[in-house]
Amino acid sequence: MAGRPRIILDCDPGVDDAIAIITAARWTDLVAITSVSGNVGIEHTTANALRMRDLLDIDVPVHRGAERPLVAEPFHARHVHGMTGLADVELPVPDLEPDSHDAVAAIVDATRAEEGLHLVPVGPLTNIALALRADPAISRRVASITLMGGGATGGNVTAAAEFNIYADAEAADEVFRSGAPITMVGLNLTHQVRMDAGHADTCRGFGHRVGDVAAKLVDYNISVHRGGGRPGSGAMHDPCAVLAVSHPEVIRSEPRHVVVEVDGAHTRGQTLVDERGRMSVEPNCRVAYEADAGRALELILQAIREAPGV
Ligand code: BDR
Ligand code: CA
């Protein structure tokens, strides 16, 4: 459909990644889905991306990506997403194998074939960093790298670091220094967009399989976050990065200079945002600060209600 942004969704499904795939299928032209090791290992994230493709019955290539971070040891979040990544939702074994086992080549090729794509990474930045190493000019050919990761105020793995950046801080460092037009949709933003039991009921009420799956994912996301600061709801991190591309009016961002800490004893994986105003270093990034949460949730729910294949 004309007018929709064309994106590559680089993901580690992942409960909120799965909702991001549904959101992207409705509001963007999905050029490809690439998988990366993150919330769970690469076998599971790739299989889950394929499962979501089957569920939505969409004709989008899925490319398997990096099985480990650039330097660090693999770091997963099974306690947040379940042992296999999609909570306790049982989806059929995927119909097909991945279209390739080289997500990096797929990103390089797609961005050479077409200027103006948006890369939307919502997992660790390993594939994106490797693609930029293979072809640094990607930074000039893409419309944006709009990533879910980091934040302006603090972390969730440590006090300083958010999961996607912490899991491959060296990759994130390379991406933030690449010169690409980056938008960082971090925790300070995504914590504003929360889904609760009422949203899960709404999804169930759609009366189709995608709605049922989404409802289970939302319920699980609430349950694993029940000990957090705002019980009864869970942040929908990854769909926010998709919406920042498809509906930029919903997510307000401002230019800032951001660096990734790779060495700090207490701050490894932190995205340090320069907030000094006139004293700041030249911006290398847009930082998302404010969501129209009501509208963002409407768009996510509409994407679930009107999902392809229902
Ligand atoms: C990010 O980490 C992952 O667990 C989620 O899928 C999201 O991409 C939030 O910190
Ligand atoms: Ca993710």
Side-chain angles (χ1 to χ4, degrees):
M1 188 192 295
R4 301 201 303 184
R6 288 172 60 73
I7 79 165
I8 297 177
L9 185 65
D10 184 72
C11 56
D12 59 338
V15 167
D16 57 327
D17 303 74
I19 304 286
I21 293 171
I22 300 172
T23 306
R26 175 65 183 86
W27 298 120
T28 75
D29 275 345
L30 260 172
V31 173
I33 298 172
T34 50
S35 63
V36 67
S37 170
N39 287 320
V40 287
I42 191 67
E43 297 291 342
H44 289 309
T45 61
T46 308
N48 292 340
L50 291 166
R51 287 188 173 100
M52 292 306 298
R53 176 173 76 175
D54 288 354
L55 175 72
L56 296 169
D57 196 19
I58 48 175
D59 185 17
V60 175
V62 171
H63 302 280
R64 176 181 154 132
E67 63 183 38
R68 52 162 301 134
L70 296 184
V71 178
E73 288 303 309
F75 180 77
H76 302 305
R78 296 188 191 96
H79 59 295
V80 180
H81 299 269
M83 291 305 286
T84 58
L86 285 187
D88 47 7
V89 178
E90 291 197 1
L91 290 171
V93 174
D95 282 348
L96 297 173
E97 291 289 301
D99 294 76
S100 88
H101 284 232
D102 195 346
V104 173
I107 292 168
V108 170
D109 290 348
T111 54
R112 281 182 180 162
E114 179 178 351
E115 292 211 359
L117 294 178
H118 295 267
L119 305 183
V120 184
V122 295
L125 288 160
T126 321
N127 290 336
I128 307 298
L130 289 170
L132 284 162
R133 280 186 188 180
D135 184 353
I138 286 175
S139 64
R140 296 194 297 275
R141 292 199 301 269
V142 294
S144 80
I145 298 176
T146 300
L147 62 96
M148 191 284 131
T153 47
N156 53 6
V157 175
T158 69
E162 180 279 334
F163 176 82
N164 290 337
I165 306 297
Y166 183 86
D168 197 344
E170 282 75 14
D173 173 45
E174 291 186 22
V175 171
F176 275 85
R177 288 190 292 105
S178 69
I182 295 171
T183 296
M184 178 174 80
V185 181
L187 293 176
N188 60 299
L189 187 293
T190 61
H191 280 163
Q192 298 170 37
V193 180
R194 310 182 72 85
M195 295 183 84
D196 59 22
H199 297 115
D201 287 344
T202 300
C203 292
R204 230 171 260 114
F206 294 152
H208 55 56
R209 178 95 178 107
V210 176
D212 289 345
V213 168
K216 287 183 183 168
L217 294 172
V218 171
D219 279 337
Y220 191 89
N221 195 46
I222 297 165
S223 72
V224 294
H225 290 104
R226 66 183 178 278
R230 292 169 66 181
S233 67
M236 264 302 143
H237 305 286
D238 293 347
C240 291
V242 175
L243 293 178
V245 172
S246 66
H247 296 79
E249 72 282 4
V250 171
I251 289 171
R252 184 182 66 77
S253 63
E254 292 181 17
R256 292 286 189 275
H257 190 84
V258 177
V259 292
V260 177
E261 179 59 80
V262 292
D263 289 324
H266 304 288
T267 53
R268 179 179 159 80
Q270 179 181 15
T271 48
L272 183 60
V273 181
D274 193 334
E275 298 282 9
R276 291 176 297 167
R278 283 191 304 118
M279 303 283 287
S280 298
V281 180
E282 192 65 23
N284 62 343
C285 174
R286 295 192 69 87
V287 174
Y289 282 101
E290 193 183 357
D292 179 342
R295 182 72 184 128
L297 290 166
E298 275 175 14
L299 289 165
I300 294 167
L301 289 170
Q302 186 179 347
I304 296 165
R305 188 178 74 230
E306 299 174 356
V310 299

mmCIF file of all heavy atoms in Angstrom, residues 249-291:
data_model
loop_
_atom_site.group_PDB
_atom_site.id
_atom_site.type_symbol
_atom_site.label_atom_id
_atom_site.label_comp_id
_atom_site.label_asym_id
_atom_site.label_seq_id
_atom_site.Cartn_x
_atom_site.Cartn_y
_atom_site.Cartn_z
ATOM 1 N N GLU A 249 3.763 11.138 14.737
ATOM 2 C CA GLU A 249 3.078 12.166 15.516
ATOM 3 C C GLU A 249 2.698 11.670 16.922
ATOM 4 O O GLU A 249 2.393 12.463 17.812
ATOM 5 C CB GLU A 249 1.818 12.652 14.766
ATOM 6 C CG GLU A 249 0.640 11.667 14.706
ATOM 7 C CD GLU A 249 0.799 10.546 13.662
ATOM 8 O OE1 GLU A 249 1.861 10.475 13.015
ATOM 9 O OE2 GLU A 249 -0.144 9.736 13.514
ATOM 10 N N VAL A 250 2.736 10.364 17.110
ATOM 11 C CA VAL A 250 2.322 9.774 18.396
ATOM 12 C C VAL A 250 3.491 9.747 19.387
ATOM 13 O O VAL A 250 3.282 9.596 20.595
ATOM 14 C CB VAL A 250 1.763 8.347 18.135
ATOM 15 C CG1 VAL A 250 1.528 7.584 19.415
ATOM 16 C CG2 VAL A 250 0.473 8.453 17.329
ATOM 17 N N ILE A 251 4.702 9.874 18.868
ATOM 18 C CA ILE A 251 5.885 9.753 19.729
ATOM 19 C C ILE A 251 6.797 10.953 19.500
ATOM 20 O O ILE A 251 7.428 11.079 18.444
ATOM 21 C CB ILE A 251 6.592 8.408 19.474
ATOM 22 C CG1 ILE A 251 5.686 7.308 20.047
ATOM 23 C CG2 ILE A 251 7.984 8.374 20.111
ATOM 24 C CD1 ILE A 251 6.077 5.908 19.737
ATOM 25 N N ARG A 252 6.841 11.831 20.502
ATOM 26 C CA ARG A 252 7.641 13.064 20.364
ATOM 27 C C ARG A 252 9.097 12.773 20.709
ATOM 28 O O ARG A 252 9.388 12.166 21.740
ATOM 29 C CB ARG A 252 7.092 14.144 21.308
ATOM 30 C CG ARG A 252 7.784 15.494 21.172
ATOM 31 C CD ARG A 252 7.228 16.505 22.150
ATOM 32 N NE ARG A 252 7.493 16.167 23.538
ATOM 33 C CZ ARG A 252 8.665 16.337 24.158
ATOM 34 N NH1 ARG A 252 9.694 16.853 23.492
ATOM 35 N NH2 ARG A 252 8.808 16.004 25.428
ATOM 36 N N SER A 253 9.989 13.212 19.815
ATOM 37 C CA SER A 253 11.416 12.992 20.065
ATOM 38 C C SER A 253 12.175 14.290 19.831
ATOM 39 O O SER A 253 11.681 15.204 19.163
ATOM 40 C CB SER A 253 11.959 11.894 19.151
ATOM 41 O OG SER A 253 11.845 12.291 17.793
ATOM 42 N N GLU A 254 13.367 14.359 20.400
ATOM 43 C CA GLU A 254 14.200 15.552 20.252
ATOM 44 C C GLU A 254 15.638 15.129 19.971
ATOM 45 O O GLU A 254 16.081 14.081 20.434
ATOM 46 C CB GLU A 254 14.168 16.383 21.539
ATOM 47 C CG GLU A 254 12.828 17.020 21.804
ATOM 48 C CD GLU A 254 12.838 17.843 23.071
ATOM 49 O OE1 GLU A 254 13.935 18.192 23.566
ATOM 50 O OE2 GLU A 254 11.737 18.122 23.576
ATOM 51 N N PRO A 255 16.371 15.979 19.230
ATOM 52 C CA PRO A 255 17.767 15.633 18.933
ATOM 53 C C PRO A 255 18.664 15.736 20.171
ATOM 54 O O PRO A 255 18.545 16.693 20.937
ATOM 55 C CB PRO A 255 18.184 16.670 17.874
ATOM 56 C CG PRO A 255 17.154 17.732 17.895
ATOM 57 C CD PRO A 255 15.926 17.218 18.565
ATOM 58 N N ARG A 256 19.499 14.750 20.346
ATOM 59 C CA ARG A 256 20.435 14.720 21.479
ATOM 60 C C ARG A 256 21.705 13.977 21.057
ATOM 61 O O ARG A 256 21.680 13.177 20.119
ATOM 62 C CB ARG A 256 19.840 13.953 22.675
ATOM 63 C CG ARG A 256 18.669 14.609 23.354
ATOM 64 C CD ARG A 256 19.105 15.796 24.198
ATOM 65 N NE ARG A 256 18.002 16.294 25.011
ATOM 66 C CZ ARG A 256 17.078 17.167 24.598
ATOM 67 N NH1 ARG A 256 17.131 17.642 23.366
ATOM 68 N NH2 ARG A 256 16.116 17.558 25.417
ATOM 69 N N HIS A 257 22.776 14.183 21.788
ATOM 70 C CA HIS A 257 23.956 13.337 21.627
ATOM 71 C C HIS A 257 23.866 12.200 22.644
ATOM 72 O O HIS A 257 23.654 12.445 23.840
ATOM 73 C CB HIS A 257 25.251 14.130 21.837
ATOM 74 C CG HIS A 257 26.454 13.339 21.447
ATOM 75 N ND1 HIS A 257 26.919 13.250 20.153
ATOM 76 C CD2 HIS A 257 27.260 12.535 22.175
ATOM 77 C CE1 HIS A 257 27.963 12.459 20.103
ATOM 78 N NE2 HIS A 257 28.203 12.006 21.319
ATOM 79 N N VAL A 258 24.033 10.979 22.147
ATOM 80 C CA VAL A 258 23.926 9.795 23.002
ATOM 81 C C VAL A 258 25.169 8.937 22.809
ATOM 82 O O VAL A 258 25.575 8.676 21.670
ATOM 83 C CB VAL A 258 22.669 8.965 22.646
ATOM 84 C CG1 VAL A 258 22.603 7.692 23.488
ATOM 85 C CG2 VAL A 258 21.400 9.792 22.846
ATOM 86 N N VAL A 259 25.767 8.517 23.909
ATOM 87 C CA VAL A 259 26.872 7.560 23.834
ATOM 88 C C VAL A 259 26.494 6.318 24.635
ATOM 89 O O VAL A 259 25.682 6.382 25.564
ATOM 90 C CB VAL A 259 28.199 8.141 24.375
ATOM 91 C CG1 VAL A 259 28.718 9.239 23.457
ATOM 92 C CG2 VAL A 259 28.042 8.649 25.797
ATOM 93 N N VAL A 260 27.095 5.194 24.237
ATOM 94 C CA VAL A 260 26.851 3.931 24.941
ATOM 95 C C VAL A 260 28.067 3.614 25.803
ATOM 96 O O VAL A 260 29.202 3.591 25.303
ATOM 97 C CB VAL A 260 26.603 2.784 23.938
ATOM 98 C CG1 VAL A 260 26.434 1.449 24.674
ATOM 99 C CG2 VAL A 260 25.384 3.077 23.077
ATOM 100 N N GLU A 261 27.836 3.384 27.069
ATOM 101 C CA GLU A 261 28.919 3.010 27.983
ATOM 102 C C GLU A 261 29.249 1.531 27.793
ATOM 103 O O GLU A 261 28.358 0.678 27.919
ATOM 104 C CB GLU A 261 28.472 3.264 29.430
ATOM 105 C CG GLU A 261 29.479 2.890 30.481
ATOM 106 C CD GLU A 261 30.796 3.632 30.310
ATOM 107 O OE1 GLU A 261 30.873 4.801 30.720
ATOM 108 O OE2 GLU A 261 31.728 3.021 29.752
ATOM 109 N N VAL A 262 30.507 1.238 27.466
ATOM 110 C CA VAL A 262 30.899 -0.169 27.319
ATOM 111 C C VAL A 262 31.837 -0.639 28.424
ATOM 112 O O VAL A 262 32.081 -1.835 28.564
ATOM 113 C CB VAL A 262 31.544 -0.457 25.936
ATOM 114 C CG1 VAL A 262 30.535 -0.332 24.819
ATOM 115 C CG2 VAL A 262 32.732 0.432 25.686
ATOM 116 N N ASP A 263 32.364 0.279 29.208
ATOM 117 C CA ASP A 263 33.395 -0.085 30.181
ATOM 118 C C ASP A 263 32.974 0.064 31.644
ATOM 119 O O ASP A 263 33.621 -0.481 32.519
ATOM 120 C CB ASP A 263 34.649 0.793 29.978
ATOM 121 C CG ASP A 263 35.378 0.413 28.713
ATOM 122 O OD1 ASP A 263 35.394 -0.787 28.394
ATOM 123 O OD2 ASP A 263 35.889 1.315 28.041
ATOM 124 N N GLY A 264 31.975 0.826 31.933
ATOM 125 C CA GLY A 264 31.694 1.225 33.312
ATOM 126 C C GLY A 264 31.511 0.048 34.264
ATOM 127 O O GLY A 264 30.880 -0.948 33.919
ATOM 128 N N ALA A 265 32.070 0.170 35.455
ATOM 129 C CA ALA A 265 31.921 -0.892 36.455
ATOM 130 C C ALA A 265 30.452 -1.075 36.830
ATOM 131 O O ALA A 265 29.997 -2.195 37.066
ATOM 132 C CB ALA A 265 32.742 -0.548 37.691
ATOM 133 N N HIS A 266 29.708 0.013 36.877
ATOM 134 C CA HIS A 266 28.294 -0.051 37.260
ATOM 135 C C HIS A 266 27.364 0.364 36.124
ATOM 136 O O HIS A 266 26.150 0.286 36.280
ATOM 137 C CB HIS A 266 28.038 0.865 38.459
ATOM 138 C CG HIS A 266 28.907 0.544 39.632
ATOM 139 N ND1 HIS A 266 28.729 -0.586 40.394
ATOM 140 C CD2 HIS A 266 29.976 1.193 40.140
ATOM 141 C CE1 HIS A 266 29.656 -0.616 41.340
ATOM 142 N NE2 HIS A 266 30.432 0.442 41.216
ATOM 143 N N THR A 267 27.929 0.834 35.026
ATOM 144 C CA THR A 267 27.089 1.494 34.025
ATOM 145 C C THR A 267 27.207 0.886 32.632
ATOM 146 O O THR A 267 26.707 1.468 31.673
ATOM 147 C CB THR A 267 27.455 2.990 33.939
ATOM 148 O OG1 THR A 267 28.871 3.104 33.733
ATOM 149 C CG2 THR A 267 27.057 3.724 35.204
ATOM 150 N N ARG A 268 27.835 -0.299 32.518
ATOM 151 C CA ARG A 268 27.936 -0.921 31.190
ATOM 152 C C ARG A 268 26.543 -1.039 30.563
ATOM 153 O O ARG A 268 25.594 -1.510 31.203
ATOM 154 C CB ARG A 268 28.572 -2.310 31.317
ATOM 155 C CG ARG A 268 28.699 -3.027 29.987
ATOM 156 C CD ARG A 268 29.350 -4.384 30.125
ATOM 157 N NE ARG A 268 29.015 -5.223 28.994
ATOM 158 C CZ ARG A 268 29.594 -5.160 27.790
ATOM 159 N NH1 ARG A 268 30.570 -4.299 27.582
ATOM 160 N NH2 ARG A 268 29.202 -5.938 26.805
ATOM 161 N N GLY A 269 26.435 -0.616 29.314
ATOM 162 C CA GLY A 269 25.157 -0.692 28.610
ATOM 163 C C GLY A 269 24.279 0.533 28.783
ATOM 164 O O GLY A 269 23.195 0.607 28.208
ATOM 165 N N GLN A 270 24.745 1.502 29.540
ATOM 166 C CA GLN A 270 23.954 2.728 29.687
ATOM 167 C C GLN A 270 23.981 3.538 28.394
ATOM 168 O O GLN A 270 25.011 3.614 27.709
ATOM 169 C CB GLN A 270 24.532 3.597 30.814
ATOM 170 C CG GLN A 270 23.775 4.897 31.024
ATOM 171 C CD GLN A 270 24.376 5.764 32.127
ATOM 172 O OE1 GLN A 270 25.515 5.549 32.557
ATOM 173 N NE2 GLN A 270 23.604 6.708 32.601
ATOM 174 N N THR A 271 22.859 4.141 28.044
ATOM 175 C CA THR A 271 22.836 5.147 26.978
ATOM 176 C C THR A 271 22.852 6.515 27.663
ATOM 177 O O THR A 271 21.861 6.916 28.272
ATOM 178 C CB THR A 271 21.577 5.002 26.093
ATOM 179 O OG1 THR A 271 20.420 4.885 26.928
ATOM 180 C CG2 THR A 271 21.675 3.781 25.200
ATOM 181 N N LEU A 272 23.971 7.167 27.577
ATOM 182 C CA LEU A 272 24.154 8.438 28.275
ATOM 183 C C LEU A 272 23.712 9.575 27.354
ATOM 184 O O LEU A 272 24.320 9.807 26.306
ATOM 185 C CB LEU A 272 25.620 8.597 28.676
ATOM 186 C CG LEU A 272 25.969 9.853 29.476
ATOM 187 C CD1 LEU A 272 25.198 9.894 30.796
ATOM 188 C CD2 LEU A 272 27.472 9.899 29.734
ATOM 189 N N VAL A 273 22.656 10.254 27.742
ATOM 190 C CA VAL A 273 22.047 11.304 26.911
ATOM 191 C C VAL A 273 22.554 12.664 27.390
ATOM 192 O O VAL A 273 22.439 12.986 28.575
ATOM 193 C CB VAL A 273 20.506 11.245 27.017
ATOM 194 C CG1 VAL A 273 19.875 12.320 26.142
ATOM 195 C CG2 VAL A 273 19.990 9.859 26.618
ATOM 196 N N ASP A 274 23.100 13.424 26.463
ATOM 197 C CA ASP A 274 23.625 14.756 26.800
ATOM 198 C C ASP A 274 22.453 15.738 26.882
ATOM 199 O O ASP A 274 21.848 16.074 25.867
ATOM 200 C CB ASP A 274 24.632 15.185 25.733
ATOM 201 C CG ASP A 274 25.441 16.394 26.169
ATOM 202 O OD1 ASP A 274 24.938 17.185 27.000
ATOM 203 O OD2 ASP A 274 26.570 16.544 25.672
ATOM 204 N N GLU A 275 22.155 16.184 28.074
ATOM 205 C CA GLU A 275 21.014 17.086 28.293
ATOM 206 C C GLU A 275 21.485 18.499 28.636
ATOM 207 O O GLU A 275 20.769 19.269 29.275
ATOM 208 C CB GLU A 275 20.133 16.554 29.450
ATOM 209 C CG GLU A 275 19.497 15.194 29.205
ATOM 210 C CD GLU A 275 18.281 15.248 28.291
ATOM 211 O OE1 GLU A 275 18.016 16.315 27.701
ATOM 212 O OE2 GLU A 275 17.610 14.204 28.171
ATOM 213 N N ARG A 276 22.715 18.853 28.187
ATOM 214 C CA ARG A 276 23.256 20.144 28.612
ATOM 215 C C ARG A 276 22.828 21.324 27.746
ATOM 216 O O ARG A 276 23.345 22.428 27.908
ATOM 217 C CB ARG A 276 24.787 20.076 28.635
ATOM 218 C CG ARG A 276 25.316 19.180 29.742
ATOM 219 C CD ARG A 276 26.814 19.067 29.656
ATOM 220 N NE ARG A 276 27.221 18.436 28.409
ATOM 221 C CZ ARG A 276 28.473 18.419 27.945
ATOM 222 N NH1 ARG A 276 29.429 19.002 28.629
ATOM 223 N NH2 ARG A 276 28.756 17.811 26.816
ATOM 224 N N GLY A 277 21.913 21.075 26.819
ATOM 225 C CA GLY A 277 21.436 22.187 25.997
ATOM 226 C C GLY A 277 22.548 22.782 25.162
ATOM 227 O O GLY A 277 23.226 22.074 24.421
ATOM 228 N N ARG A 278 22.766 24.088 25.282
ATOM 229 C CA ARG A 278 23.748 24.781 24.434
ATOM 230 C C ARG A 278 25.160 24.233 24.597
ATOM 231 O O ARG A 278 25.995 24.376 23.721
ATOM 232 C CB ARG A 278 23.735 26.282 24.736
ATOM 233 C CG ARG A 278 22.530 27.009 24.116
ATOM 234 C CD ARG A 278 22.653 28.513 24.193
ATOM 235 N NE ARG A 278 22.852 28.976 25.565
ATOM 236 C CZ ARG A 278 23.928 29.628 25.980
ATOM 237 N NH1 ARG A 278 24.910 29.881 25.134
ATOM 238 N NH2 ARG A 278 24.048 30.024 27.227
ATOM 239 N N MET A 279 25.444 23.616 25.744
ATOM 240 C CA MET A 279 26.775 23.061 26.012
ATOM 241 C C MET A 279 26.963 21.685 25.363
ATOM 242 O O MET A 279 28.056 21.120 25.367
ATOM 243 C CB MET A 279 26.986 22.889 27.519
ATOM 244 C CG MET A 279 26.811 24.155 28.311
ATOM 245 S SD MET A 279 28.256 25.186 28.116
ATOM 246 C CE MET A 279 29.413 24.236 29.114
ATOM 247 N N SER A 280 25.874 21.119 24.811
ATOM 248 C CA SER A 280 25.896 19.722 24.376
ATOM 249 C C SER A 280 26.809 19.507 23.184
ATOM 250 O O SER A 280 27.053 20.414 22.388
ATOM 251 C CB SER A 280 24.493 19.270 23.965
ATOM 252 O OG SER A 280 23.617 19.342 25.047
ATOM 253 N N VAL A 281 27.227 18.241 23.034
ATOM 254 C CA VAL A 281 27.906 17.801 21.830
ATOM 255 C C VAL A 281 26.839 17.691 20.735
ATOM 256 O O VAL A 281 25.661 17.464 21.010
ATOM 257 C CB VAL A 281 28.586 16.439 22.092
ATOM 258 C CG1 VAL A 281 29.323 15.937 20.862
ATOM 259 C CG2 VAL A 281 29.526 16.547 23.294
ATOM 260 N N GLU A 282 27.268 17.871 19.478
ATOM 261 C CA GLU A 282 26.353 17.797 18.319
ATOM 262 C C GLU A 282 25.484 16.535 18.390
ATOM 263 O O GLU A 282 26.012 15.426 18.588
ATOM 264 C CB GLU A 282 27.219 17.762 17.051
ATOM 265 C CG GLU A 282 26.502 17.979 15.749
ATOM 266 C CD GLU A 282 25.905 19.373 15.624
ATOM 267 O OE1 GLU A 282 26.379 20.322 16.297
ATOM 268 O OE2 GLU A 282 24.950 19.490 14.858
ATOM 269 N N PRO A 283 24.165 16.650 18.188
ATOM 270 C CA PRO A 283 23.300 15.460 18.279
ATOM 271 C C PRO A 283 23.661 14.380 17.261
ATOM 272 O O PRO A 283 24.020 14.678 16.124
ATOM 273 C CB PRO A 283 21.907 16.014 17.983
ATOM 274 C CG PRO A 283 21.984 17.455 18.326
ATOM 275 C CD PRO A 283 23.396 17.884 18.006
ATOM 276 N N ASN A 284 23.550 13.117 17.675
ATOM 277 C CA ASN A 284 23.744 11.977 16.763
ATOM 278 C C ASN A 284 22.486 11.108 16.726
ATOM 279 O O ASN A 284 22.507 10.012 16.178
ATOM 280 C CB ASN A 284 24.935 11.113 17.197
ATOM 281 C CG ASN A 284 24.748 10.500 18.574
ATOM 282 O OD1 ASN A 284 23.901 10.946 19.346
ATOM 283 N ND2 ASN A 284 25.534 9.487 18.896
ATOM 284 N N CYS A 285 21.415 11.635 17.289
ATOM 285 C CA CYS A 285 20.280 10.746 17.558
ATOM 286 C C CYS A 285 19.061 11.597 17.897
ATOM 287 O O CYS A 285 19.209 12.726 18.367
ATOM 288 C CB CYS A 285 20.709 9.917 18.790
ATOM 289 S SG CYS A 285 19.510 8.840 19.487
ATOM 290 N N ARG A 286 17.875 11.052 17.651
ATOM 291 C CA ARG A 286 16.675 11.636 18.256
ATOM 292 C C ARG A 286 16.289 10.747 19.430
ATOM 293 O O ARG A 286 16.298 9.519 19.316
ATOM 294 C CB ARG A 286 15.518 11.708 17.251
ATOM 295 C CG ARG A 286 15.770 12.635 16.079
ATOM 296 C CD ARG A 286 14.507 12.892 15.287
ATOM 297 N NE ARG A 286 13.547 13.686 16.027
ATOM 298 C CZ ARG A 286 13.516 15.022 16.060
ATOM 299 N NH1 ARG A 286 14.405 15.719 15.380
ATOM 300 N NH2 ARG A 286 12.611 15.654 16.768
ATOM 301 N N VAL A 287 15.959 11.351 20.523
ATOM 302 C CA VAL A 287 15.567 10.608 21.720
ATOM 303 C C VAL A 287 14.061 10.791 21.918
ATOM 304 O O VAL A 287 13.569 11.925 21.950
ATOM 305 C CB VAL A 287 16.339 11.115 22.959
ATOM 306 C CG1 VAL A 287 15.827 10.440 24.224
ATOM 307 C CG2 VAL A 287 17.832 10.867 22.781
ATOM 308 N N ALA A 288 13.350 9.676 22.019
ATOM 309 C CA ALA A 288 11.895 9.743 22.229
ATOM 310 C C ALA A 288 11.619 10.076 23.692
ATOM 311 O O ALA A 288 12.179 9.453 24.597
ATOM 312 C CB ALA A 288 11.265 8.414 21.857
ATOM 313 N N TYR A 289 10.758 11.078 23.882
ATOM 314 C CA TYR A 289 10.475 11.524 25.253
ATOM 315 C C TYR A 289 9.026 11.330 25.668
ATOM 316 O O TYR A 289 8.747 11.053 26.818
ATOM 317 C CB TYR A 289 10.833 13.007 25.417
ATOM 318 C CG TYR A 289 12.315 13.222 25.574
ATOM 319 C CD1 TYR A 289 13.080 13.657 24.497
ATOM 320 C CD2 TYR A 289 12.948 12.970 26.783
ATOM 321 C CE1 TYR A 289 14.440 13.837 24.626
ATOM 322 C CE2 TYR A 289 14.315 13.145 26.922
ATOM 323 C CZ TYR A 289 15.055 13.579 25.846
ATOM 324 O OH TYR A 289 16.407 13.744 25.976
ATOM 325 N N GLU A 290 8.099 11.538 24.724
ATOM 326 C CA GLU A 290 6.702 11.593 25.152
ATOM 327 C C GLU A 290 5.804 10.865 24.161
ATOM 328 O O GLU A 290 5.869 11.133 22.951
ATOM 329 C CB GLU A 290 6.257 13.061 25.242
ATOM 330 C CG GLU A 290 4.950 13.229 25.958
ATOM 331 C CD GLU A 290 4.519 14.689 25.968
ATOM 332 O OE1 GLU A 290 5.268 15.568 25.472
ATOM 333 O OE2 GLU A 290 3.414 14.957 26.454
ATOM 334 N N ALA A 291 4.993 9.962 24.694
ATOM 335 C CA ALA A 291 4.045 9.237 23.840
ATOM 336 C C ALA A 291 2.634 9.750 24.092
ATOM 337 O O ALA A 291 2.278 10.098 25.224
ATOM 338 C CB ALA A 291 4.095 7.741 24.150
#
